[in-house]
Amino acid sequence: MPKVTVDGTELEVPVGATVLQACELAGKEIPRFCYHERLSIAGNCRMCLVEVKPGPPKPQASCALPATEGQQIFTATPMVQKAREGVMEFLLINHPLDCPICDQGGECDLQDQSIAYGRGASRYDENKRAVTEKYMGPLVKTAMTRCIHCTRCVRFSEEIAGVDEIGALYRGEGMQITSYLEKAIQHELSANVVDLCPVGALTSKPYAFEARPWELKKTLSIDVSDAVGSNIRVDSRGREVLRALPRINDDVNEEWLSDKGRHCVDGLTRRRLDKPWVRQKGKLVAATWDEAFGAIAKAKPGASLAAVAGDLVDCETMFAAKKLLGGLSSSLLEGRQTGLDYDCSNLAAVNFNSTFAGIETADAILIVGSMVRWEAPLVNVRLRKAAKRGAKIFVVGPHWETTFGAEFLGDDVAVLGDLPEHVNEAMVSARRPAVILGGGGLAKGAIAPSLALAGTWNVVRDLEDGAKWNGFNVLHMAASRMGGLMLGYAQKGGIKDIAAAAPKVVLALGADEVDWSAFGSSLKVYIGHHGDKGAHAADVILPGAAWTEKAGTYVNTEGRVQFAEKAVFAPGDAREDWTILRALADALGVTVGFDTFEQLRAAMIAEVPALGVEGLADYGALPKPKRLAKVKSAQIGYPIKDFYLTNAICRASPTMQRCSAELLHGEDLAEAAE
């Protein structure tokens, strides 16, 4: 490791580190606009200038200069200060004085660094350059006159998202950053460019002019729009959530967030259930809590009570419902709303075992029945990294537009019984082979042949360096799925068994994707937050809290236990789900053993200790693989038909509706006059 000296302090830096990274290791703050830790080095803003000896007697861009043995680096000499002032002056020559009305105000790198490193006055008297606004779709608002050409957005689109939709046109003073053909950006991570933009050139269109950052209450939470469990920060004012931003977690979402997870939050205040409803003579009528509970108690369910958990439900709500059913001697619990009935006796066989960070290191990957780009956009980012490192990727399922090179082998599950020889060779010879099984494969019985192939290819192995590798992965799409499986929300025959049992009362815990026509004779009680499909089918509606309105535990598809905090209060008479279930227990004459949220969590952790430890749960070893018999033929179909409208909150969101209409269905935006 080379030794360098930074402002008189000697330190060792990793081989390949840059001078900028060496300065940061020494605790020095280096200003920058174009440099970003997760993007390639551009070296075009020149703000990170430092003085380096030995070397030419001039300031040098520290982001693009390798740190080498014996370097002496100076970060605050008069030469460096004057050079940074000059760079800042040039950056501000054409920058408009928009700070009072710019949405980036208070969170703007240019604003902060001009105060810290600028001259404090301008010597430029000529007219400023102006750039026409660009259209980048329903999520990104542009003010390209502010652009300083750092190219972060260009590099993100090309390198991380893998969709070359943003680039530079023209040269010199005429250079402009734009989307090609000025069309909307059509990928699932497009709004991350707003976070990356160091000035106010790209801002959030749905959040425009809503609030200043110092007005907002910031709450740590978990994204529930998919099963990745992205770490987010919920920003709220009063009782309204105004935006969601990603938090850095290198093991889960790095620092990115899908467009759906970021912008579905405006659906939290629309189509809300804020009072109980009871169906009378075929019509839902507003009721009191006592009347609603009385209607349920009147059914006298006894042991004939079932619970179906929705995709957005926290573990505490599911555990409270389980205790309620247990008090009535019922075990009719299910969370796989759409009819999946795979074997859940060994959770390692339905877990993403290689972890998100680990899948980047795989060198041969077979994807079965998963359109990863829609089902888990941030896992798609990891697969792209694996492909960049040389991984061979094969897909069994209908064709979709990948952002990495992949070979499609067919859309029939039977392909798994007769894979081409070159696929077998690639998987057998790989050091870290991996299988990813998605919802489309689970629905067609692909789990058994996938496990058999995993055994044939020895995807669970000890590596030469002593590390352990488990390459068998199941990619779920529901934030509640793994937590539900840990709590026993799985019947042997899936939801068909629940319907066949014809329960007198079925509790729908935010379950909006169920075909409720199969429960014709049951009293359907919907405990949820939006007037969506489940509420339309219900006989009794008990208004619950959305995920931002309650604290809760979530387990992502790799078995990572994470905790979300409460950001705002539920509207009207709506209550947190566990309190509804606790009150319902009293109405049914059942003792559940908890009266507070703390008691509920303690009881849940006592029953499932893994839910009390944040981090990866240990599900043990994979089951011993059986020999691969003949695989039945079945056409794979992907379960997600519309990326932007996958749950009740998204379907209530005007932003998600517009994204669906414009980006997926090609509809033009209708103006007010139209």
Side-chain angles (χ1 to χ4, degrees), residues 565-618:
E565 297 176 7
K566 179 177 178 176
V568 294
F569 289 95
D573 287 337
R575 297 290 182 266
E576 294 182 32
D577 299 12
W578 76 268
T579 64
I580 297 172
L581 291 160
R582 175 64 185 83
L584 182 57
D586 284 343
L588 296 176
V590 177
T591 302
V592 290
F594 58 85
D595 294 311
T596 66
F597 184 73
E598 289 71 24
Q599 291 174 355
L600 167 61
R601 284 210 81 220
M604 179 182 75
I605 293 167
E607 189 167 308
V608 186
L611 291 175
V613 183
E614 292 199 66
L616 291 172
D618 184 4

Side-chain angles (χ1 to χ4, degrees), residues 277-288:
W277 297 79
V278 176
R279 192 175 296 277
Q280 296 178 4
K281 298 179 181 178
K283 186 177 181 181
L284 285 169
V285 178
T288 65

Side-chain angles (χ1 to χ4, degrees), residues 472-521:
F472 186 79
N473 304 296
V474 172
L475 185 62
H476 297 292
M477 294 169 288
S480 64
R481 182 70 77 248
M482 285 305 294
L485 296 180
M486 292 170 75
L487 289 167
Y489 273 73
Q491 297 292 305
K492 190 171 184 181
I495 202 162
K496 293 187 289 291
D497 273 16
I498 300 277
K504 289 182 180 178
V505 176
V506 57
L507 302 178
L509 308 175
D512 291 296
E513 317 305 327
V514 177
D515 178 9
W516 291 111
S517 62
F519 292 84
S521 61

Side-chain angles (χ1 to χ4, degrees), residues 372-394:
V372 185
R373 190 170 162 183
W374 277 11
E375 293 171 15
L378 295 166
V379 176
N380 193 68
V381 169
R382 306 279 190 171
L383 294 178
R384 182 170 162 76
K385 285 187 185 179
K388 278 184 171 181
R389 290 176 171 148
K392 297 176 181 176
I393 303 179
F394 309 98

